[in-house]
Structures are given as structure tokens and as C-alpha cells.
Amino acid sequence: MPAARSQLAHLYRRAGFGALPAELDRAEALGWGATLEELLAGLNGPGTVAPPAGLTSFTEANRGRGNGWDEYINLGGWWIEQMTTTRTPLREKLVLLLHCQFPTAYDKVGYASLMYRQNVIFRTLGPGPFNVLTKAVSQDPAMLIWLDTGTDEKYDPNENFARELMERFTMGVGTYTEEDVRQSARAFTGWALDWNTGKFRIYEWDHDYGRKHFLGHVGDLSGDDVVEIVTHTPVSARWVTSRLWSWLAYPVTPADPVVAELAPGYATDLNVANLLRAILTHPLFVAPASRQGLVKQPIEWVAGTMRAFGLSTASFRKQGKADYLHYVLSQLGQVPFDPPNVGGWGDNDYWLSTAASLAQLDFALTVSEVADLSEIERPPVALRAEALANLLSIDGWSNETLAALNHVRHVTPELVTLGLVSPEYLAN
Amino acid sequence: MPTPLSRRRFLQGAASLGAAGALHGTLGSALDAPRALSPAAAVPPSAHAASSAVEPTLVLVTLYGGNDGLNTVVPYQDPAYEAQRGAIAIKPDTVLDIGNGLGLHPSLVGMKSLWDAGKLAIVRGVGYPDPNYSHFASMDIWQAGTTANDVTTGWIGRWLDATGANPMRAISLGANVPTAFAGAHQQASAIAPSSSPYSQLPPGDPAFRSVYKLLEHPSGRPSPLELLVAQSGTNMLRVSRVVANALQHVPAPAVLGSSAAGYLGQQLAVVAQLIGAGLPTRAYHVSLQGFDTHAGELVTQAQLLQQVDTSVTGFLGAIAGNPRGQKAVVVLYTEFGRRVQANASGGTDHGAANDAFVMGHSVRGGLYGDEPSLTRLDVDGNLVVSTDFRSIYATCLEQILGVDAKPFLGRSWPTLGFL
């Protein structure tokens, strides 16, 4: 693959879910700068999408028998289909990364309708100021349930949300004291979900209006004040920058030089869209360290493959595999809306295990059964391996993989299966 | 569109590739690379019964979220207990008395029987200096086996690094291998907590092996991550066939398939089958989430402990008739204990010192370590650590894995007498 095209394919993999050959053709004609601008422009606008069909509202579900397992399975499929059909891939990618930043699990929240509502916040507020986003996520029912906000009392606060707000969502571990945890927990007393309306409210009689000493600030700090304080700390700028850089380029700690370089710019406005621009336009984003810096997250790999082959959840349903996507993502270790805990998922070697490899094989075999493979089959036999690389928008194959692919090039489903589990496609 | 015959053909490939043994014969011949397995693996399951040289096995159970040890081993005769715990204190008349003023949580009926039989060791006051109240930082400390924050390998992972490349030595259940089982160069194999992915043998077609060939003869410049993908795939082809064969030969213990045994039971069922099949695996990892009981602790913890009790005691019962099972040791731990004083949410916040549990047919039951005081707490209101967790690891490394613990833990730690 020519260098310019290869770099554009990298951009589409990281700032989206991969590119179709036609998209790469168009991007090549546009050039790097204009393609990047187009992806970034996708962050403008309201970001709303049609909700999943048949999703019962929270208030209705709460009066009746909940949302049910089916609605949760459908919701996961709905999100994957947003990834496979989006016209604003960077925005869709950001929604996934914000789920990774604010890991919240259906397992405890228990309502598909609430997981959906949180997802809408990521869509609509994600590209904007991070303090505004953090406040909205903090007061949203899914988070209120997930970290037990509103279960405590004025003089006896629960530390769960206050701690994870700092440790996972905004600042990073080791950047605050245990006293900061206790003081900020007081600020969130009285915060609660009103189960009748499904809305956030503050029970004033249960809120601690006393003086609090928190990260150098003193006063009657409210929960909103705490969110403002933590999101505006210099350590938060480094933490948020390091997280996004780690998912888009290669894993770094908040102490990494590239983070030190980018964090001050982000700190001026806390604007996530501007931070994404700074990351994607940074020279190191296209350096070899980044080009070879990540193993695809299972959701990226599954959605990208479905996108390449034009598959939808219906493609699997037709084959009598209605829950298939949920099943295989669970075997791969990454179910959307169900991270293992508030720490979320890991990266790179976290995704590689013999169990995950077997699940990769399962998905690859299934795709080769349900997909229309005529694009790969149309060229002469000798060119089929190359056609597959082209469809998957990868640079090409190593000699070893090419030999393996050529071994089965007469049987297209096998060729496709091998290509999908190849190191060249799973990594990078 | 071509007819979807590929799956079957791949499976046939497995049979035609000198892996016939995997389908019809012994476990040993299921492996295509004999160098990778110890000779024990070449022995059919039945032969193990006669073997006296069976080595012990570690079954490490991680309880994620910080199980509340004070409500698990309840100091119910200490007046400070009810004073501090209030509404979430376990009622004295419901605990399962084990003497010394202590009682097990009412869900732990099976573990009480183990205690009575002298097969349950409880290590008290376990932790490390300067407790970290982050789930993830504290779990990293436990899994790495060190408080140094620049160590990324696990304590079993370093043992893997030191003992070769056989992918069967250590097995973790579930897609993601925990830090404890990952070394710098070697990581434990992972298998799904269910037999269904293995009910069809994985492919043995030569094409599959060559797609992962990068590892052996890299051409060009494969990235380190591509090499890791290849290593994982190569090991998968080997491990899956052995596992599939074992699961086919040994039925899953019914008790572990009950809803009470839950997800932990599913994982331990597979471990019981692999032990029953005589695999030479020396360390297994299973886990259960959900112990972070900041609110509504009474209900949540009772359910989780019931799952632990049903699955662990069911597991020990299922492997009791097997010589390898007789030497299996189950170790249960969690990243930290919980705050002595309850919060107003009917729960507890993050704490420090905690209990660890060691169970098995070869375990010397009883209490180990010092009883923590409920009134002399640390500055954050937590139980004070009296036993370093690395004493448990040192005991496991020396008594189960049969190695000098010092190189794996950085220094010597006093061992405990439970083995």
C-alpha cells in the first residue's frame, strides 16, 4: 500500500473503525489535511442518533418489570451498528472511549434505558468541555446507581463516587489524599436519583452544607464545585490527555513527555474536540510507535470487521445466532455497556490470551459463513490475498501470513478466516 | 457465495494433522510440540491414579472489589463489633461459631464443615504496609506481590518466566489473564469458563499454524504486538486441543453447575475437569466480581459468599477422589478489607487488613496470624495489618510449587504453617 494511503488507513483505524476501500480512495484524493478536517468536523453538531427500537423508557420500565435482558442485548447490537454505519467515525469512536473513561456496567445499573441515556450524554456532550461532560455523567441515573450516590446520609457519607471521580474519571490514582476523599464525599451527600421521575435531584435536608477543605479549596463546596475543582487541576489535564492518547496512539502514563506537551493546551479550555485535534495532528501520532502501538480492542475489531463486510446484527440473526454478537464479545472479554468494574478494560496484552484467540477464531469463522465474500472471490486466485488486505485496509501481509493465505486461496471462507485472525489485522 | 463448509473442513484438518490422538487417544499426543509439556502429560488420565509423584496444584481465587472480612469471619463476641457495624452487623445467633469469639458468615455452611474437618485455614490481619485504598492500585500490589510500583509482572508470572515455555503450567479462566499470572516473557494460558467453545475441536489445519508462524521465523520486522498475537494464537492451538480432550473425557461436576454456584462454579467446574483429567497444570486462576459493597452490603455479600461457599466446597468435593485433587490448595484473597465503621448506605468503604482463606484436603486448618483489634485502628479507621500477604505467597511457592520463594518475592518472608 502506498505510504500516503497507509497513513490514512491508520487514521481511520484509530479515529474511527477502519476505512472501506472506497473511503480510502476518496481520502487519498482529498489528502491528509482535508481528511483529518472532515473527521474532526464530525465532532460538531448535536450528535443525536435514533434510539434503539423497542427500548422501554426508564419510568415505564420502573413501573413494570424493568427493561429486561432482551432490551440490553438489543442495546449492545444497536451501539455496534452505530459504529458500523456511522458517517462521523471520530465522534462514534469518542463515544466508545468515553465509555472506557467512565466505565459503568449494566450488571449493576440494571436498566438498558439508563445505559442508553448515558450513551446519549457521551454522544451529545462528549466533544465539548470535559467539566460539563463530567458533571452531566455524575448526575445521570446510571452513574448515580453504579457508584451508590444518594444512598448515604448527611453526616455519614459514602466514599464510593468521590473516590472514583478522582481516581478513575478525572485525576488518576495517587494525586489526592484520603482526607480529600472524605471531604469531597461530604459534598455529594443529598445527591440522588428520584426513582419516580428518573431524574437527578438534591435532597437539601440530607446535604452537608458545612465547610470543606478540598485540594486547597475551603468553603461550603457543593458537588458541582468539586467536579469543577477536580476537572481544572493540572493533574487532571495530564490524566485525561494520557487516557485519550493511550487509546488513539499508544499507551502512555501521565508522566510521558507527549502528555506534558499536550496537557497545557487542553487545560486552557478542557475542550475534548480540541484535544482530539491536538492528538491526531501530533507528529508522534503517525510515528512507528503509534502505527504499531495498539492491539485493537475487541469492540473495534468486531465493529471494523462488520463494517468491512457490510454486516449488521441482522446478518447473524438470519443465521439463527440472535445473541451471537453478545456471546462472542463476552468470549473476547469486552461487552459494550458491561465493563468488569469502574477501572474499565486494559490495553494491548490485556486483550491477548489463548481464550481470546479461540474467540477470535470463532468470530472469524462465523463472519466467513455469514458474509458476502464475492469481493474477495472476484479477482483471480493469485490476487485474492491482496484483495482481502485491500478490503481490511491493512498495509499488506508478512511472508508467513501470505504463505498461509495462499495455501487456502482456493477456498475463500478459509482465506477470510485466516486474514481476520492474522497478527497484521488484530494488532495495529 | 461459497458454501459454508469452512468450519467443518478446519475441524477435519485437526484430525488429519497427526492430531488423531487428540480425538481418540491420550492427552499427551494431543500436543504437537512434545518439548512443551512435561512427561506427565503423556500419561493417560487413568495412569495418574497409580502415580505417587503427583505434584500439588494452586487454585488461586480472586474476589474483586474488596470482600468485607469483618462480616465474613465475624468477631461477634467483641462489643466493638456491633457498636461499629450497627445495622449491618451479622446477628450473633446466625453466625457459624468457630471458637475464639469468631463466627463464619451464615452463608459459609460448607466452609464451616471444612473448618470442622481441619481443612480450612484462615489467615488474619493480612495486608501490606501503607494500605492503598484504590481497588486497582491495591489489587496490583497483591497481584504483583510487591508494593514497588514499577513492577508489572505477577508473582506467579515470574515463576512462569523462570520455568520454561510450556503453556499448560498455569491456566486462568476467562478471556483476560490477570497480572498475577503474567510474567515478562510468559503468560498463563486462558480458557473459557465453559466447555462449549471446546466442544468442537479448534482447527489443526496447517494454514492456521502458519498464520502464527511469525513467532518462529519472523521475516520483515513484525512489531512486538504482532509477535504477541502470534504467540497467543500458537499457544491457543495447542492448549485448546488438550483442554477439549480433557473436557470430553471428564464430566463436569453437577454441583458446580447449579445456579447457587454461579459464575465461580462454572469456572471451578472446568478446573475440576482438568484436574480430573490429570493435566500437569500447577496453578489455576478463577475470580468473582462484585464485592465492593458500599451500599446494601447485607444482601449482596450474603449472595456472593453463598456462591463462594457452594462453588469452592463443591469443587473440593468433586476432586477429592483424584490424587491431584487431594493435593490441590485453594487460596482465596481480595484486594483489601473494608472500613470498620459502617457507612449510612448500609455498606462499608474501602479498608485495609483482611482475612485470606486457604482450603484443601492437604491443608492444616486453623487460625494463622494475629487477631486484629477493633479498637486500636490505623489513622483512617481501619484494621491494622499484622501478617504480610507475601507470607502466604512464600508458603505457596515453597510448599505448592516447590521452589525457593525468595527470587520471586524479592526477599524472604516467613512462611505460615497451613501446608
Side-chain angles (χ1 to χ4, degrees):
Chain A
M1 188 182 281
R5 188 178 175 93
S6 163
Q7 189 162 304
L8 286 162
H10 166 69
L11 176 64
Y12 268 98
R13 279 194 292 273
R14 298 293 170 81
F17 298 88
L20 298 172
E23 288 175 306
L24 272 191
D25 292 343
R26 190 172 156 277
E28 245 186 317
L30 280 174
W32 173 263
T35 302
L36 192 55
E37 287 307 323
E38 190 176 271
L39 284 166
L40 288 164
L43 297 170
N44 303 328
T48 46
V49 293
L55 182 67
T56 314
S57 75
F58 172 70
T59 42
E60 209 180 313
N62 199 27
R63 274 196 301 271
R65 299 171 54 199
N67 280 126
W69 180 256
D70 288 352
E71 290 190 37
Y72 161 61
I73 298 294
N74 287 341
L75 182 67
W78 166 85
W79 190 6
I80 297 288
E81 284 189 352
Q82 301 305 317
M83 299 174 200
T84 62
T85 59
T86 181
R87 293 178 162 278
T88 53
L90 177 55
R91 189 165 199 141
E92 198 58 45
K93 186 57 145 306
L94 178 62
V95 175
L96 176 61
L97 301 188
L98 291 174
H99 184 40
C100 297
Q101 180 69 20
F102 296 95
T104 309
Y106 169 81
D107 184 45
K108 178 167 173 182
V109 174
Y111 289 88
S113 50
L114 297 184
M115 299 311 298
Y116 167 72
R117 272 170 62 170
Q118 187 189 59
N119 192 266
V120 170
I121 292 176
F122 296 155
R123 289 175 187 283
T124 52
L125 299 180
F130 190 71
N131 53 332
V132 175
L133 171 70
T134 303
K135 181 177 157 186
V137 172
S138 304
Q139 301 184 344
D140 183 61
M143 185 59 76
L144 294 169
I145 296 174
W146 173 234
L147 294 184
D148 306 313
T149 329
T151 61
D152 54 359
E153 289 169 11
K154 182 173 176 176
Y155 296 110
D156 199 352
N158 177 322
E159 295 174 1
N160 200 7
F161 176 71
R163 179 186 303 281
E164 307 303 355
L165 171 70
M166 288 188 280
E167 180 184 329
R168 308 308 310 178
F169 306 155
T170 64
M171 292 169 61
V173 72
T175 60
Y176 48 86
T177 66
E178 282 305 300
E179 188 58 25
D180 289 324
V181 174
R182 284 189 283 269
Q183 294 287 320
S184 55
R186 293 172 56 209
F188 294 107
T189 51
W191 277 38
L193 164 63
D194 183 332
W195 286 81
N196 293 316
T197 62
K199 294 198 167 101
F200 169 75
R201 60 173 294 182
I202 298 175
Y203 291 96
E204 299 194 350
W205 50 270
D206 217 6
H207 176 72
D208 180 348
Y209 287 96
R211 218 169 129 88
K212 304 165 190 90
H213 295 252
F214 175 66
L215 291 174
H217 298 254
V218 185
D220 163 21
L221 303 174
S222 67
D224 285 357
D225 293 333
V226 167
V227 170
E228 286 298 313
I229 291 168
V230 295
T231 50
H232 280 90
T233 53
V235 289
S236 178
R238 290 197 290 277
W239 176 245
V240 173
T241 301
S242 72
R243 300 280 279 173
L244 285 173
W245 182 272
S246 295
W247 289 315
L248 292 165
Y250 52 86
V252 291
T253 68
D256 194 275
V258 76
V259 175
E261 187 187 333
L262 293 175
Y266 162 77
T268 59
D269 58 5
L270 307 189
N271 185 287
V272 171
N274 292 343
L275 176 58
L276 290 174
R277 170 184 292 274
I279 290 171
L280 298 176
T281 54
H282 195 282
L284 284 177
F285 173 71
V286 291
S290 171
R291 297 289 300 268
Q292 305 183 332
L294 291 175
V295 170
K296 289 186 179 77
Q297 297 191 38
I299 289 174
E300 295 173 331
W301 181 69
V302 165
T305 302
M306 289 173 64
R307 193 175 166 95
F309 286 96
L311 298 176
S312 66
T313 54
S315 315
F316 300 103
R317 211 174 298 130
K318 269 190 303 201
Q319 304 281 330
K321 298 169 190 282
D323 286 359
Y324 180 72
L325 274 183
H326 181 265
Y327 166 80
V328 82
L329 283 163
S330 146
Q331 296 294 313
L332 289 164
Q334 192 182 35
V335 176
F337 299 109
D338 205 26
N341 53 52
V342 70
W345 296 287
D347 54 37
N348 287 354
D349 50 351
Y350 176 86
W351 300 121
L352 299 178
S353 72
T354 54
S357 295
L358 186 62
Q360 287 154 7
L361 201 48
D362 192 306
F363 181 67
L365 283 162
T366 302
V367 167
S368 74
E369 285 173 15
V370 304
D372 173 2
L373 307 179
S374 52
E375 283 294 315
I376 312 297
E377 204 150 35
R378 192 172 300 126
V381 166
L383 297 178
R384 285 181 184 168
E386 197 184 319
L388 181 60
N390 190 39
L391 182 67
L392 298 177
S393 294
I394 56 179
D395 284 1
W397 307 109
S398 67
N399 290 341
E400 290 81 5
T401 302
L402 187 61
L405 295 175
N406 280 334
H407 180 74
V408 296
R409 65 190 178 187
H410 294 279
V411 189
T412 314
E414 299 186 11
L415 176 74
V416 169
T417 302
L418 289 186
L420 292 179
V421 300
S422 68
E424 292 90 329
Y425 184 56
L426 278 160
N428 309 319
Chain B
M1 186 177 161
T3 49
L5 282 173
S6 56
R7 196 178 297 256
R8 199 171 65 197
R9 184 175 163 238
F10 281 125
L11 300 177
Q12 286 166 343
S16 67
L17 206 84
L23 294 167
H24 309 296
T26 66
L27 290 169
S29 61
L31 272 187
D32 47 301
R35 65 179 163 80
L37 257 194
S38 75
V43 182
S46 58
H48 283 291
S51 166
S52 58
V54 168
E55 294 168 312
T57 306
L58 170 68
V59 181
L60 189 62
V61 184
T62 303
L63 307 180
Y64 286 103
N67 177 46
D68 182 11
L70 264 186
N71 274 15
T72 307
V73 182
V74 185
Y76 71 103
Q77 291 176 356
D78 187 335
Y81 170 72
E82 206 185 336
Q84 297 268 34
R85 282 302 171 89
I88 61 160
I90 305 290
K91 299 283 169 286
D93 56 344
T94 63
V95 302
L96 310 172
D97 187 81
I98 58 168
N100 297 292
L102 301 172
L104 295 180
H105 185 283
S107 288
L108 301 178
V109 177
M111 283 167 64
K112 172 62 163 56
S113 301
L114 286 177
W115 173 269
D116 292 339
K119 302 300 176 200
L120 166 61
I122 304 173
V123 190
R124 306 286 284 155
V126 182
Y128 51 87
D130 285 328
N132 195 308
Y133 303 122
S134 154
H135 291 292
F136 313 100
S138 192
M139 189 52 93
D140 279 349
I141 287 169
W142 270 87
Q143 297 217 358
T146 174
T147 52
N149 55 16
D150 57 345
V151 176
T152 55
T153 54
W155 67 287
I156 295 294
R158 293 190 289 277
W159 172 76
L160 290 173
D161 279 342
T163 51
N166 175 356
M168 298 307 297
R169 285 167 304 157
I171 289 178
S172 176
L173 278 287
N176 313 112
V177 176
T179 302
F181 273 44
H185 309 290
Q186 301 291 324
Q187 99 168 357
S189 293
I191 62 176
S194 150
S195 62
S196 58
Y198 303 95
S199 58
Q200 298 179 312
L201 277 177
D205 191 289
F208 267 105
R209 282 186 222 175
S210 33
V211 88
Y212 300 126
K213 273 276 190 231
L214 282 171
L215 195 64
E216 287 164 37
H217 310 288
S219 73
R221 282 188 298 168
S223 73
L225 293 177
E226 286 174 340
L227 290 176
L228 274 182
V229 172
Q231 182 177 39
S232 179
T234 304
N235 285 341
M236 178 273 288
L237 292 178
R238 294 158 60 186
V239 169
S240 298
R241 258 180 286 154
V242 178
V243 169
N245 192 260
L247 297 180
Q248 202 180 343
H249 277 87
V250 182
V255 63
L256 296 174
S258 71
S259 61
Y263 180 63
L264 189 59
Q266 289 173 33
Q267 299 169 70
L268 285 171
V270 172
V271 177
Q273 287 174 281
L274 300 187
I275 287 176
L279 289 204
T281 304
R282 301 297 302 280
Y284 291 94
H285 179 266
V286 296
S287 64
L288 186 62
Q289 306 268 357
F291 288 87
D292 192 22
T293 49
H294 287 273
E297 175 172 318
L298 279 182
V299 172
T300 305
Q301 197 196 23
Q303 288 167 346
L304 289 168
L305 290 182
Q306 195 197 4
Q307 184 176 162
V308 169
D309 188 75
T310 309
S311 54
V312 170
T313 55
F315 168 74
L316 287 172
I319 60 173
N322 180 295
R324 208 168 272 279
Q326 280 291 327
K327 289 193 171 182
V329 179
V330 178
V331 176
L332 254 90
Y333 77 101
T334 183
E335 67 263 39
F336 44 54
R338 305 194 74 87
R339 195 74 40 85
V340 174
Q341 182 164 21
N343 61 30
S345 307
T348 46
D349 294 317
H350 301 181
N354 207 358
D355 308 299
F357 302 85
V358 185
M359 289 163 276
H361 302 288
S362 57
V363 167
R364 281 201 283 266
L367 295 173
Y368 295 85
D370 296 333
E371 185 63 26
S373 164
L374 291 187
T375 47
R376 281 181 291 106
L377 305 176
D378 71 11
V379 289
D380 294 319
N382 294 313
L383 296 179
V384 175
V385 172
S386 61
T387 309
D388 195 282
F389 72 113
R390 285 157 289 196
S391 279
I392 298 173
Y393 291 179
T395 313
C396 291
L397 284 162
E398 296 191 356
Q399 301 297 322
I400 301 175
L401 298 178
V403 292
D404 176 13
K406 193 177 169 185
F408 303 102
L409 299 176
R411 52 159 275 200
S412 297
W413 293 92
T415 54
L416 300 166
F418 54 71
L419 287 173

